[in-house]
Amino acid sequence: QAKARGRATYQFFEPALAATAYADLVLEAELAQGLTRREFELFFQPQVDAVTGQLTGAEALLRWRHPQRGLLGPDAFIFVAERHRLMLDLGEWVLAEAARTARRWREQGVTAGREPMRIAVNLSRMQFNLQGFADTVRRVLDEAGAQGEWLELELTERMLMDDIAHAPATLAQLRALGLTVSVDDFGTGYTSLAHLTELPLDKLKIDQGFVARLPDDVGAQAITRAIVQMALGLGLIVTAEGVRTSAQLQLLAGWGCQQLQGELVGLPMPLNEFESWVRAR
Ligand code: C2E
Ligand code: MG
Ligand code: MG
Ligand code: MG
C-alpha cells in the first residue's frame, strides 16, 4: 500500500524530493509498527540544583531502537510523526511511560536527595493544542497509578503563542493536577513578554544555544543574565540546559540560576544506567 502510494507520488516531484517523500512514507509506516513492537524507549538526563548539586529530577528523552538503523534520536523521526496523528499516540506513550517510571522510582526508592525526583516530559504542539489535553493527562496518570506532582511538562514558546487563547486555561488545568509547567528552549522563540506574565508557568529553561557560548561571549552573557533576572522577578524557577563546563556553571549559579542540566552532570542515559548512576551518587 505504502509502496503503491510512493510510486504514484514519484511522478509529480523532482527525483530528490520524491525520494524524500518516499522515505517519509516508509518512516511513517515503520513508526506505527515500532509503537506496537515496543521499539521506543526513554532515556533520562539528570537535572540538579545549581548550588548544592543535589538531584532534582530527570528529563525523559525519546529514543527509537530501529531494527535496521539502530538507536535513533527524536530529530530523526519526530518531524514525520508530527505530520500525522501518530504523534498523539507516541506522545501519550511517552507520558504513560514517564508516569509508570515515576511510580516505580517511588516504590523502589530511586532518589538521591530528600525529595523524590520529578520526570520532565517534552510535549509536541499537536498534543498540547488538542482539546481536552488535561483530561488525557489525568487519565494517563490514573492508569499508571501516578500523581501529577511526579511529572513536569516541557512546552516551547511557539506552542504557547500559537494557542494563546486557550493556553492559559490548559496550563491552569495541568497545574491543578499538580504538574509543573516549564518553557523549553527559552530565548529562541517569540513569546511576548506581556503574555509571559499572564501565563501560569513554573519554570523557564534557558536554551542551550546561549549556554554553549558562555563564559566568553558577551552577547550570550547579557541575554542569559537577563533571562535569569526576568525569571526570578516573575517568581519562576530558571534552569540552564546544555551546561558543559564548570566555568559555565559558576557564571550561571552566580547570576541566580537555580537548576542545571548538561554534559557536566550527565548526558541522557538508558533507564538502567540512569538508576545505577543515581544509586552511585
Ligand atoms: P530538548 O527538550 O531541548 O532536549 C535537550 C536536547 O539536548 C536533548 O537532545 C539532549 O540529549 C541534548 N543535550 C543535553 N545535554 C547536552 C549537552 O550538554 N550538550 C549537548 N550538545 N546536547 C545536550 P535529544 O534527546 O536529541 O532531543 C532533541 C529534542 O527532541 C528535544 O530537545 C525535544 O525538543 C525533542 N524531544 C525529545 N523527546 C521528546 C518526546 O518524548 N516528545 C517530544 N514531543 N519531543 C521530544
Ligand atoms: Mg526538553
Ligand atoms: Mg531544550
Ligand atoms: Mg529543543
Side-chain angles (χ1 to χ4, degrees):
Q1 176 69 28
K3 222 176 210 168
R5 261 193 293 159
R7 207 174 291 132
T9 321
Y10 194 87
Q11 299 164 358
F12 300 100
F13 296 104
E14 291 299 311
L17 214 68
T20 310
Y22 181 73
D24 285 2
L25 280 175
V26 172
L27 198 60
E28 185 191 339
E30 287 179 340
L31 273 166
Q33 229 173 32
L35 251 180
T36 52
R37 292 185 183 169
R38 300 168 170 269
E39 290 167 2
F40 291 93
E41 74 181 67
L42 297 181
F43 272 36
F44 294 88
Q45 182 174 36
Q47 300 179 320
V48 301
D49 185 295
V51 177
T52 64
Q54 179 167 310
L55 202 58
T56 56
E59 178 172 0
L61 294 154
L62 186 60
R63 297 292 182 268
W64 182 10
R65 294 214 185 261
H66 190 282
Q68 282 86 43
R69 293 159 65 198
L71 189 66
L72 301 179
D75 294 339
F77 58 88
I78 285 260
F79 70 98
V80 171
E82 284 196 316
R83 289 206 292 258
H84 307 275
R85 249 195 68 91
L86 208 55
M87 192 59 234
L88 295 178
D89 297 334
L90 195 54
E92 189 170 318
W93 178 84
V94 170
L95 202 58
E97 185 69 6
R100 288 188 290 261
T101 305
R103 195 202 58 219
R104 229 184 19 256
W105 284 354
R106 268 146 192 87
E107 287 166 0
Q108 301 174 0
V110 180
T111 171
R114 274 166 281 116
E115 281 175 45
M117 292 174 291
R118 221 181 252 276
I119 298 180
V121 172
N122 293 282
L123 293 184
S124 91
R125 165 124 128 263
M126 201 184 268
Q127 288 173 281
F128 183 70
N129 291 355
L130 196 72
Q131 255 225 324
F133 174 63
D135 296 327
T136 304
V137 173
R138 190 201 320 260
R139 174 175 53 75
V140 169
L141 288 171
D142 284 348
E143 284 167 4
Q147 289 168 27
E149 284 77 10
W150 302 351
L151 297 185
E152 175 171 325
L153 299 179
E154 296 193 359
L155 298 100
T156 62
E157 293 176 73
R158 178 118 198 234
M159 286 162 63
L160 293 170
M161 291 305 120
D162 278 358
D163 196 21
I164 197 62
H166 299 106
T170 307
L171 295 179
Q173 288 172 338
L174 292 168
R175 289 176 93 217
L177 291 173
L179 291 106
T180 298
V181 177
S182 58
V183 184
D184 204 355
D185 305 339
F186 191 78
T188 59
Y190 52 105
T191 309
S192 119
L193 295 183
H195 284 316
L196 198 61
T197 64
E198 290 157 14
L199 289 165
L201 300 166
D202 297 290
K203 191 187 276 194
L204 298 184
K205 296 186 74 176
I206 303 171
D207 187 69
Q208 50 183 302
F210 299 121
V211 178
R213 284 156 51 198
L214 297 177
D216 298 328
D217 186 310
V218 254
Q221 277 185 28
I223 291 168
T224 312
R225 198 171 49 211
I227 294 174
V228 173
Q229 240 136 51
M230 183 182 67
L232 296 179
L234 291 170
L236 302 174
I237 296 173
V238 59
T239 305
E241 289 193 284
V243 179
R244 281 187 302 109
T245 69
S246 50
Q248 292 171 341
L249 158 66
Q250 295 305 323
L251 212 52
L252 287 158
W255 290 329
C257 176
Q258 295 116 317
Q259 295 177 354
L260 58 96
Q261 185 182 341
E263 206 179 314
L264 183 67
V265 185
L267 285 171
M269 303 167 237
L271 178 67
N272 287 342
E273 204 178 303
F274 179 78
E275 291 179 352
S276 313
W277 184 89
V278 172
R279 290 203 175 93
R281 268 169 85 90

